[in-house]
Amino acid sequence: MFGHVFIYQMKQLFRQKWSIGWNFCFPLVLATVFFFGFGNLIKEDPDVFKSVEVGYVNETSQENTPFEQLLDGLTEVDEDSDRDNPLLILHKMTADEAEEKLKAGEISGYYLETTGADSTGADSTEALAKSSAKVGTEAFTGVSTASTETDIKLKITENGIDATILSQVLKSYQNSESMVKRVMEEHPENIQTVMDELTNDNQDFISQKVFNKNVAPFVNYFYALLAMASLFGSWMCTAMLQGMCANMSERGKRFECSPTNKMTAVFAGLLACTILQGLADTIVILYINYVLGIHFGGNLLVVIALSFLASAMGISCGALIAAICKSESLLIGVPIAFSMICSFFSGLMVGNIRAIVEQKCPFFNRINPAAVYVESIYRFCNYGADQKFWNSVIIMACMTLGCVVLSSLFLRRRSYGSL
């Protein structure tokens, strides 16, 4: 009997044109609109790091100062870094040329190194010069030195990321300079130890976290789209149960009078809806990944498995809505409002809305099925199967089971005065 009802429901759902249109075709159309709407942004991440154009003016009597060596090192690409471009693009020029390029916006700022009045002796200068022999990208974090006989100023026109980077380079340089000068004055016997620490590549107190580089920009919108498609299954479920309830349709009256076990038929229908919605989501996933070229960054089999779980969650929510609502008009309006509101707060229309909700009211993200699904697929594709990923999976499973149990209780207790 279970298999017979299951096949019957599959055929019935396939014959509904609105089901094919909204559950299969609409997500594909919306994914295509997203793809062309983002334009070049979908191929180029605006948040990707870009090298900073900076000028350098040397007005000292010394050529190739330690600070200049440091800047030269920052124009090289560090093999251990996840960046494909250097931190700085250095332009050596005169002060007048630097002013012109800064006003024209060709550089983000420039360093002006002039002769200073401070001097701590030849020994200190020699020690500082040694530390500048090892330059590279690591110099940005403080592995740089300064000449004790020069003064360095940074000139910029506006604040921003580039200005912050240039300021931090100079600040790190000056911090290293101050430390070396203090050691030379108070404990000159420890200067070699300080130099070794400054140029040490194997800092045990620093750990590196490698994020997935294969995740496409703006893919969170497509995660939310999949969440919306999964919740569209609630419409499918309410339509299925409408044909099983005597107060909803003529077909429901005939079903209630049949000798078929009601709960067996309901579970068969839920399974049919879940498989059909899971197949619809799978088509969308494959279309996004292979046709549009928007890579999720994780194993597609796991992503598809998550979509089936999300489909089951959406179907179970639809079953609960159908079990509670007794009006035919509510069976249409409530699932639509439910799926669209949940999708909105998962980031379908406003990309960072889920982060805002997480900051203001994190509990809402835990009870929003769309947000939970987006969190699970986001965690897996970016960080792997970590604890937060499994927490989201458990929440989806509990939501599915809870809605099925509640809807079963409501449907079991439904009775009619006459048929």
Side-chain angles (χ1 to χ4, degrees):
M1 181 59 68
F2 182 90
H4 174 76
V5 177
F6 172 77
I7 294 175
Y8 170 79
Q9 290 294 344
M10 288 288 287
K11 291 180 179 179
Q12 184 68 25
L13 292 171
F14 265 117
R15 289 171 183 170
Q16 295 175 344
K17 295 181 179 179
W18 64 265
S19 175
I20 300 300
W22 285 106
N23 295 75
F24 281 85
C25 298
F26 180 72
L28 297 176
V29 174
L30 189 57
T32 306
V33 171
F34 278 177
F35 178 78
F36 288 106
F38 287 127
N40 291 331
L41 295 179
I42 206 67
K43 297 297 184 182
E44 299 179 2
D45 189 352
D47 296 327
V48 71
F49 176 78
K50 297 180 180 179
S51 301
V52 181
E53 300 275 353
V54 61
Y56 172 71
V57 179
N58 186 356
E59 293 186 349
T60 68
S61 58
Q62 180 182 357
E63 295 184 359
N64 198 23
T65 64
F67 183 68
E68 186 176 352
Q69 295 177 37
L70 169 67
L71 296 179
D72 288 335
L74 295 177
T75 61
E76 301 174 359
V77 179
D78 186 6
E79 296 179 356
D80 297 329
S81 173
D82 59 353
R83 294 196 309 266
D84 296 328
N85 47 355
L87 182 68
L88 303 178
I89 296 179
L90 187 64
H91 304 277
K92 299 179 181 180
M93 57 191 74
T94 64
D96 293 336
E97 293 174 341
E99 283 291 337
E100 293 178 2
K101 289 185 178 294
L102 184 62
K103 292 180 181 179
E106 297 180 14
I107 57 177
S108 300
Y110 70 88
Y111 296 106
L112 174 63
E113 187 170 11
T114 58
T115 301
D118 184 29
S119 178
T120 58
D123 292 339
S124 176
T125 303
E126 181 181 359
L128 290 167
K130 288 182 180 179
S131 67
S132 65
K134 183 178 178 62
V135 292
T137 305
E138 66 270 18
F140 176 64
T141 59
V143 186
S144 62
T145 58
S147 171
T148 56
E149 299 177 349
T150 62
D151 182 39
I152 305 171
K153 296 180 180 180
L154 170 63
K155 185 170 183 179
I156 56 176
T157 55
E158 59 182 13
N159 293 325
I161 296 177
D162 291 353
T164 301
I165 292 175
L166 297 179
S167 176
Q168 288 299 318
V169 169
L170 180 58
K171 185 180 296 184
S172 298
Y173 178 88
Q174 292 172 337
N175 289 340
S176 298
E177 175 190 20
S178 299
M179 180 174 60
V180 172
K181 289 168 64 177
R182 183 173 179 180
V183 171
M184 286 297 300
E185 293 172 358
E186 300 179 2
H187 302 283
E189 69 279 3
N190 295 330
I191 188 62
Q192 187 59 47
T193 303
V194 173
M195 296 304 166
D196 293 340
E197 288 296 326
L198 287 175
T199 58
N200 184 18
D201 288 333
N202 299 316
Q203 304 275 357
D204 294 335
F205 51 85
I206 297 177
S207 60
Q208 182 179 13
K209 172 63 178 177
V210 179
F211 299 100
N212 197 332
K213 300 179 182 180
N214 298 320
V215 180
F218 298 100
V219 75
N220 280 340
Y221 286 97
F222 293 91
Y223 294 160
L225 187 151
L226 290 175
M228 179 201 69
S230 298
L231 293 185
F232 276 3
S234 61
W235 309 3
M236 190 185 300
C237 185
T238 53
M240 182 269 296
L241 288 178
Q242 187 176 359
M244 293 184 176
C245 297
N247 62 329
M248 296 294 180
S249 65
E250 293 297 323
R251 191 171 72 250
K253 295 178 182 179
R254 293 193 298 269
F255 174 80
E256 293 283 1
C257 294
S258 67
T260 306
N261 182 278
K262 188 173 184 180
M263 296 314 300
T264 300
V266 168
F267 285 123
L270 293 178
L271 180 60
C273 291
T274 300
I275 292 178
L276 194 61
Q277 184 60 53
L279 291 175
D281 289 351
T282 301
I283 293 174
V284 177
I285 291 172
L286 297 178
Y287 176 76
I288 293 174
N289 191 81
Y290 292 109
V291 179
L292 299 182
I294 308 301
H295 301 293
F296 289 92
N299 190 321
L300 276 187
L301 294 179
V302 178
V303 174
I304 291 173
L306 286 173
S307 71
F308 270 89
L309 178 57
S311 298
M313 180 175 58
I315 296 297
S316 64
C317 291
L320 183 58
I321 293 172
I324 296 175
C325 300
K326 298 181 179 180
S327 171
E328 185 175 355
S329 59
L330 290 178
L331 289 181
I332 298 175
V334 173
I336 294 176
F338 168 76
S339 58
M340 296 312 298
I341 291 174
C342 292
S343 300
F344 171 80
F345 284 104
S346 70
L348 183 64
M349 294 81 167
V350 181
N352 64 337
I353 188 66
R354 188 167 58 90
I356 296 175
V357 173
E358 184 68 26
Q359 182 181 9
K360 302 295 183 180
C361 184
F363 177 73
F364 184 74
N365 276 347
R366 305 300 176 268
I367 62 175
N368 179 1
V372 175
Y373 172 58
V374 172
E375 175 68 15
S376 67
I377 192 173
Y378 171 80
R379 298 296 304 188
F380 175 76
C381 292
N382 287 273
Y383 306 101
D386 60 1
Q387 185 61 45
K388 290 187 177 181
F389 164 76
W390 288 113
N391 290 342
S392 299
V393 171
I394 292 173
I395 292 175
M396 286 195 292
C398 291
M399 282 185 177
T400 303
L401 182 61
C403 289
V404 170
V405 171
L406 290 176
S407 59
S408 301
L409 294 176
F410 282 114
L411 290 173
R412 276 183 177 274
R413 299 183 63 180
R414 181 172 292 184
S415 59
Y416 309 95
S418 62
L419 291 175

